[in-house]
Amino acid sequence: MATIQCGATTALLLLLFLFTSSIPKSLSQQEYVNNKQLNCDTEFNSTKGNLCNGVSSSCTSYLTFKSSPPEYATPSSISYLLNSTPSVIAAANNITDVESVAADTLLTIPVNCSCAGPYYQHNASYAIKVLGETYFSIANNTYQSLTTCQALMAQNPFDARNLTAGLNIHVPLRCACPTQKQRQEGFNYLLTYLVSQGESVSSIADIFGVDQQSILEANELKENSVIFYFTPISIPLKTEPPKRIQRAATPPEDSPSPPSPPAADGGSSSSKKWVIVGVVVGVVVLLLVSVAVFFLCLRPRKRKNRATPPGKPFSASTTTETSKKVVDSIPKTHSLSLSSEGVRYAIESLSVYKFEELQKATGFFGEENKIKGSVYRASFQGDYAAVKILKGDVSGEINILKRVNHFNIIRLSGFCVYKGDTYLVYEFAENDSLEDWLHSDDKKFGNSASLSWVQRVQIAYDVADALNYLHNYTSPVHVHKNLKSGNVLLDGNFRAKISNFGLARAVEDQGDDGGFQLTRHVMGTQGYMPPEYIENGLITPKMDVFAFGVVVLELLSGREAISRDKNGTRKELPEIVNQVLEGENVREKLGGFMDPNLRGEYPLDLAYSMAELAKHCVARDLNSRPQIAEVFATLSKIQSSSLDWDPSDDLERSRSVSQISDSR
Ligand SMILES: *[C@@H]1O[C@H](CO)[C@@H](O)[C@H](O)[C@H]1NC(C)=O
Ligand SMILES: *[C@@H]1O[C@H](CO)[C@@H](O)[C@H](O)[C@H]1NC(C)=O
Ligand SMILES: *[C@@H]1O[C@H](CO)[C@@H](O)[C@H](O)[C@H]1NC(C)=O
Ligand SMILES: *[C@@H]1O[C@H](CO)[C@@H](O)[C@H](O)[C@H]1NC(C)=O
Ligand SMILES: *[C@@H]1O[C@H](CO)[C@@H](O)[C@H](O)[C@H]1NC(C)=O
Ligand SMILES: *[C@@H]1O[C@H](CO)[C@@H](O)[C@H](O)[C@H]1NC(C)=O
């Protein structure tokens, strides 16, 4: 269906083109783009930009932009897209810099507009994100028609076929400065407005409190001219635009009132000859298109998902697909959405960094500063911090980390939103993650630098301390949901800090059990997720207790949560510890289970207590698992005993135990 519609659109365009090519030009105002931006293959004067015909060659001008979550919904992210300033957008719309605005809210964006050659424009730049973006999708979908595919092509050296992810596109945005005539009538600004469904010149005039005639004149439109959705139109303003744009309610889809594309352009001297030629051409084109559509439909479905064929006119169906692809490619992992109050609260004590500051601090996100994945080391005047790049809405993580304040939870110091990505700035952990120390092959964490028994117990104690805080001292109760050795960071003194709250949840407090939640989106790390979560999506604090048990087992054994034995059989730590602590020769088996990198330097009795504790934590039945408060109490005893422990006391005995196990 959509394809047939697009055929009709093409025919219509041809018609329009034929009509409008005879419009007389008075260079006093700006020519309306008149849907010609849909025909990317052809250049028109009106699609290249607004003529530089005003009194000044530069001025303050306004763009409008519809909030489109998750990527472009805050003044910060929109300002990077449109090359404005977050605080300027925030002030113009009476919101805060990082406030997320509801979808489709129209924001005004103050920009500096100036002449570049014959056209007024405001320069922005855009890095292509995914394969399949086209000049048209960038102009119409990403930039919401604030620019045109023709202007993009004219000002970029890249062939339309050659657009690849990462490429930086120069984006001229349509803006204008008042002409002599407009100035005389008292107009000081021009605003580029995005026409949307159901709007007319008169309804737009009402929004801004200007008379219809001045809008018609500013766009070289006639009384009976038609305006189109997804086209920009210039609005002359005497004062700054309102802080909140109240659009007329959008009528239902099939409402007869909105002007629809099929109407002819009123500006033409509609001679009958042209009408006939137009209709004939239109019918022929329609026929051709229908035939083409017919054949296209006969072809195998697979082809439909290909990127827009190069150099071909863009049909509605292909471009919608492209935009869908763009949206779908945004990972939904961090989609904890919290109220704007939350973000407002968060910003009160967090620093908002400029992207340039972060670039400088991380050496332009250079390889040498890469810690792991999308985490970089940053240096702010000698103070180190970690910068993590996240996609989409991360207000959830920001909000949780803002509310929690504990020595053993990584501290968030600030953030930055740039081009739809969020950059979170954390306290720096000098010694990387526990995972690196236990399982990495890297020389830095090699055998000789292995963690000692006392350090391991301290780490377990620290993690339990943090979980105890999350489960019992925050309201609502928080469940981390993604505890693993990779998310336990170590500072300069090997004190542990829990990080990565991307999956963390607040759950209803329900007395002793701390509450629960159900989810259908089971996400986490294999080997750390308890059975009730994998099987039923049940989220309770006991989920963290299970993962904690696995981390303790890693600390004891130096093995990974999931490993393979000599025969290649997959083994999980909970299963292994049950075998170790069952039946005969427990001491001996435990000696064999312990991390060889400890070189036997640990008190076997305390190791046994730790293993027993961990075994209870990883019980299949969540009701058999202890509360984290009990775990923490037990661990604090183990910890103080470990501090009293004199390695020489036990050394002989544990040596002999590990020798027995080695010789097996
Ligand atoms: C387009 O603009 C050029 C000058 O910029 C002018 O010479 C030409 O007549 C214009 N074309 C139309 C169709 O208005
Ligand atoms: C700005 O918003 C606040 C509340 O969010 C409101 O009290 C205030 O009147 C608004 N100011 C303007 C100029 O709209
Ligand atoms: C326009 O430029 C001036 C100076 O170059 C700057 O102070 C002002 O903030 C800019 N306006 C906007 C909307 O970015
Ligand atoms: C905008 O870009 C155009 C084309 O690259 C350039 O000529 C012009 O100087 C730029 N304008 C500003 C204000 O940087
Ligand atoms: C496309 O890009 C490649 C390399 O980036 C270049 O060699 C080639 O000439 C480009 N093609 C066109 C048509 O611009
Ligand atoms: C242009 O973008 C709008 C959204 O801004 C979308 O609804 C419309 O379908 C797009 N037009 C085409 C032809 O893809």
Side-chain angles (χ1 to χ4, degrees), residues 98-359:
V98 289
E99 189 165 332
S100 206
V101 182
D104 289 340
T105 309
L106 201 65
L107 300 174
T108 53
I109 320 293
V111 293
N112 284 325
C113 181
S114 57
C115 293
Y119 304 107
Y120 275 125
Q121 65 189 45
H122 171 70
N123 294 340
S125 70
Y126 176 73
I128 294 189
K129 293 200 169 144
V130 295
L131 187 69
E133 287 184 72
T134 60
Y135 281 125
F136 179 80
S137 77
I138 295 168
N140 177 76
N141 301 60
T142 309
Y143 281 91
Q144 305 182 356
S145 294
L146 287 171
T147 184
T148 64
C149 45
Q150 291 94 338
L152 287 175
M153 288 181 188
Q155 298 194 23
N156 282 287
F158 318 109
D159 188 273
R161 272 158 287 203
N162 244 355
L163 300 186
T164 54
L167 203 62
N168 240 309
I169 303 281
H170 172 78
V171 182
L173 300 172
R174 291 174 81 91
C175 60
C177 298
T179 58
Q180 189 70 49
K181 185 158 178 287
Q182 282 163 334
R183 272 285 165 82
Q184 281 161 2
E185 289 165 6
F187 294 108
N188 294 308
Y189 309 103
L190 285 163
L191 173 142
T192 307
Y193 185 78
L194 305 167
V195 181
S196 64
Q197 210 125 349
E199 290 189 308
S200 62
V201 172
S202 70
S203 76
I204 297 169
D206 289 346
I207 296 174
F208 295 96
V210 293
D211 66 4
Q212 209 173 319
Q213 196 54 38
S214 60
I215 297 182
L216 293 175
E217 272 175 27
N219 297 277
E220 296 182 346
L221 292 167
K222 293 273 159 60
E223 195 95 46
N224 55 354
S225 295
V226 165
I227 57 172
F228 300 90
Y229 318 140
F230 316 128
T231 60
I233 189 169
S234 295
I235 314 290
L237 298 174
K238 293 185 176 162
T239 57
E240 289 174 5
K243 299 240 189 266
R244 191 133 297 186
I245 298 181
Q246 300 288 354
R247 311 174 87 128
T250 309
E253 295 253 309
D254 51 4
S255 154
S257 58
S260 50
D265 179 83
S268 80
S269 52
S270 45
S271 81
K272 272 189 189 143
K273 198 172 100 198
W274 280 122
V275 174
I276 290 161
V277 170
V279 168
V280 168
V281 169
V283 166
V284 168
V285 167
L286 244 179
L287 266 173
L288 284 176
V289 168
S290 314
V291 169
V293 166
F294 180 66
F295 278 103
L296 269 175
C297 294
L298 287 181
R299 294 168 80 175
R301 283 240 125 202
K302 266 189 264 166
R303 302 211 125 203
K304 257 199 108 183
N305 275 334
R306 289 272 180 86
T308 311
K312 287 272 154 56
F314 300 83
S315 75
S317 59
T318 40
T319 44
T320 348
E321 266 170 31
T322 313
S323 66
K324 222 175 131 223
K325 236 183 289 168
V326 175
V327 171
D328 284 347
S329 71
I330 299 159
K332 302 210 165 61
T333 342
H334 300 282
S335 57
L336 276 175
S337 56
L338 280 140
S339 61
S340 59
E341 273 74 50
V343 178
R344 212 194 285 259
Y345 174 62
I347 53 168
E348 277 164 19
S349 59
L350 290 178
S351 320
V352 179
Y353 288 87
K354 286 206 179 81
F355 183 64
E356 291 72 23
E357 289 175 79
L358 297 186
Q359 274 187 321

Side-chain angles (χ1 to χ4, degrees), residues 20-25 27 31 44-46 48 51 118-119:
T20 51
S21 46
S22 55
I23 298 175
K25 295 287 167 299
L27 290 183
E31 186 189 345
F44 307 90
N45 280 358
S46 68
K48 285 192 255 170
L51 281 176
Y119 304 107

Side-chain angles (χ1 to χ4, degrees), residues 60-61 83-85 88 110-112 122:
T60 294
S61 177
N83 183 20
S84 180
T85 315
V88 170
V111 293
N112 284 325
H122 171 70

